[in-house]
Each structure stands twice: as C-alpha cells, then as structure tokens.
C-alpha cells in the first residue's frame, strides 16, 4: 500500500511516517521505481509507535525498545520518573507563586 493509505489507516501524517522512517523505526519496501510501499506489519508498527508516543515516550526510548535495548517496563518506569519530577517542579512552583 502507498503512504496515503497508511496515513488513513493510522491517523499518522505523511510527515511523521517519513520522520519515523528517517529515525529507523520503520523500513518500508521499495519498488523498482523507488516508491515506498507498506504492508500490514508497517501499519501495526506505526500504531504501536503512535500509542507509545501518546504515553509520552521519546523517540530515543522507542528506538531502544525496537532494538531490544530496553524493555517496555523499563521505558514506562523511566516515563513515570519523569512525571514525578515534573510533579515536584509544579509543587515547588505553586509554593513560589503563593
């Protein structure tokens, strides 16, 4: 399938699909004319990336997950620590403002 179909199936823009490709998160097939083609495995991976991004995971963390350098549990634990740090910053800011 072409990128427009993938865009419609995933709700991810062409620009983001190409960005994820540039980051090595997906590797579309190439036709002899150079056009990219995608299959269901690409759609599935893009939907996974979309979910992980919605949870606030960075591209670097997603790459580490894809490369097997980090588990999902580790990535989510790291994100939880980031949330806790942001929460502490908000508490301090609130004290300063009041």
């Amino acid at each position: 399938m072409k990128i427009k179909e993938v865009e419609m199936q995933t709700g991810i823009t062409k620009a983001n699909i190409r960005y994820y490709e540039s980051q090595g998160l997906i590797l579309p097939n190439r036709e002899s004319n150079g056009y990219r083609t995608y299959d269901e495995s690409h759609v599935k991976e893009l939907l996974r990336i979309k979910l992980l991004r919605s949870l606030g995971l960075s591209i670097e963390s997603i790459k580490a997950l894809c490369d097997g350098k980090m588990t999902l549990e580790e990535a989510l634990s790291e994100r939880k620590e980031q949330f806790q740090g942001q929460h502490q910053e908000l508490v301090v800011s609130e004290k300063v403002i009041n």
Side-chain angles (χ1 to χ4, degrees):
M1 70 184 83
K2 302 289 185 218
I3 197 166
K4 185 68 174 169
E5 294 171 83
V6 175
E7 185 178 31
M8 290 179 3
Q9 284 189 26
T10 62
I12 300 172
T13 65
K14 283 189 231 184
N16 280 343
I17 294 169
R18 296 211 198 271
Y19 174 70
Y20 297 146
E21 179 185 353
S22 76
Q23 295 301 304
L25 295 175
I26 62 165
L27 299 171
N29 306 310
R30 293 280 184 161
E31 293 182 353
S32 59
N33 60 8
Y35 288 150
R36 294 170 178 91
T37 58
Y38 303 85
D39 58 35
E40 289 302 318
S41 68
H42 296 113
V43 170
K44 184 178 177 181
E45 188 60 27
L46 285 165
L47 290 172
R48 180 175 177 252
I49 293 167
K50 183 178 180 179
L51 173 62
L52 294 171
R53 293 293 291 148
S54 75
L55 295 172
L57 268 65
S58 67
I59 295 298
E60 292 76 23
S61 292
I62 295 171
K63 283 169 116 172
L65 280 168
C66 291
D67 294 341
K69 296 177 181 174
M70 179 184 282
T71 66
L72 181 58
E73 185 178 341
E74 290 169 333
L76 293 176
S77 178
E78 183 179 279
R79 185 64 181 132
K80 182 179 176 183
E81 289 174 16
Q82 291 170 349
F83 277 131
Q84 290 170 338
Q86 290 171 336
H87 175 41
Q88 289 296 65
E89 289 174 11
L90 289 172
V91 168
V92 170
S93 295
E94 184 178 37
K95 287 179 181 177
V96 169
I97 291 171
N98 292 325

